[in-house]
Amino acid sequence: MIRVLGSADLDGFTELRRAAVTDHPGEFGTGGEDWSSASREKIAHLLATATLILGAFEGQQLVGMAGLLREPKQHTRHKAAVWGLYVDPASRRRGHARALVTGLVEHARTIDVEILRAVTSTENAATIGLLGSLGFEEFGVEPRARKVDGHYLDQVMFRREL
C-alpha cells in the first residue's frame, strides 16, 4: 500500500531514513551523522513542509519512501524534484519503488508541475533503470558530486516532462 506520510508516521520515517542514509550514504545529501543529530522537531518539520512524502507499507510496517519537493519561486514553480527514494532491502523487487515514483508523478500532475527532476549516483543501476523505465531522460552527469568517506561519486541527472 502507498500513502501520504504525516505526523503519525514520524517514528517510522525517522528510522527508515536513518537506515537509508547509513546503508547508502552516496545516494543522499544528508549523511548518517547529520541525520542522527537531527532533532525530532526538525524531522517533523520536514514531514510537514515537503510538498509530498509517500510511504510504501507492508501491513503496518513502513518499508519505502519517496518525496516530492516543488520549487518555491515564481519562475521555477513549474519544476519539482523527486528525492529520498529508498526501499528497505528486505522489501525490494516487489514494485514499491515503482509505485512510489508513479505516485509522485501522479501528484505532480495535479499541482501543475510540468517538469520532474531526479538524481542518483552513476553506480546505482537499479534506480537508473527504474527512472528510465518511467520516462525520465538523462540530461547530464556531475562528476565528483558527492564525497563519502574519501570516495567521490558522480551523479546522473534525470528529467521528465509531464
Side-chain angles (χ1 to χ4, degrees):
M1 171 182 73
I2 304 295
R3 70 168 172 79
V4 176
L5 297 183
S7 59
D9 301 300
L10 179 62
D11 292 336
F13 174 74
T14 300
E15 289 308 310
L16 189 62
R17 179 81 175 165
R18 179 175 290 117
V21 301
T22 301
D23 296 344
H24 301 282
E27 292 300 318
F28 300 94
T30 300
E33 291 176 17
D34 293 333
W35 187 254
S36 293
S37 67
S39 69
R40 188 171 174 81
E41 292 76 24
K42 183 176 181 176
I43 297 168
H45 180 75
L46 172 62
L47 269 175
T49 60
T51 305
L52 180 72
I53 302 176
L54 293 178
F57 289 81
E58 292 181 354
Q60 299 298 313
Q61 181 69 35
L62 178 65
V63 298
M65 63 187 168
L68 183 71
L69 186 59
R70 187 177 194 168
E71 294 286 338
K73 296 184 179 174
Q74 178 182 2
H75 295 159
T76 57
R77 286 188 54 77
H78 66 290
K79 298 187 292 184
V82 173
W83 64 271
L85 176 62
Y86 178 76
V87 175
D88 180 82
S91 297
R92 291 183 185 159
R93 306 202 59 78
R94 297 181 188 164
H96 295 307
R98 178 173 298 280
L100 287 164
V101 176
T102 299
L104 295 178
V105 169
E106 290 170 1
H107 181 77
R109 284 189 172 116
T110 69
I111 59 172
D112 297 323
V113 167
E114 298 171 25
I115 299 169
L116 281 179
R117 294 174 292 124
V119 298
T120 190
S121 74
T122 55
E123 298 175 4
N124 190 337
T127 300
I128 290 169
L130 173 67
L131 293 172
S133 75
L134 291 172
F136 285 79
E137 297 177 347
E138 181 181 330
F139 71 93
V141 173
E142 180 182 0
R144 297 170 53 141
R146 294 215 168 109
K147 185 177 180 181
V148 179
D149 297 327
H151 174 71
Y152 289 101
L153 296 167
D154 299 343
Q155 281 189 322
V156 59
M157 297 171 281
F158 288 90
R159 68 189 306 272
R160 176 176 169 180
E161 295 214 20
L162 302 180

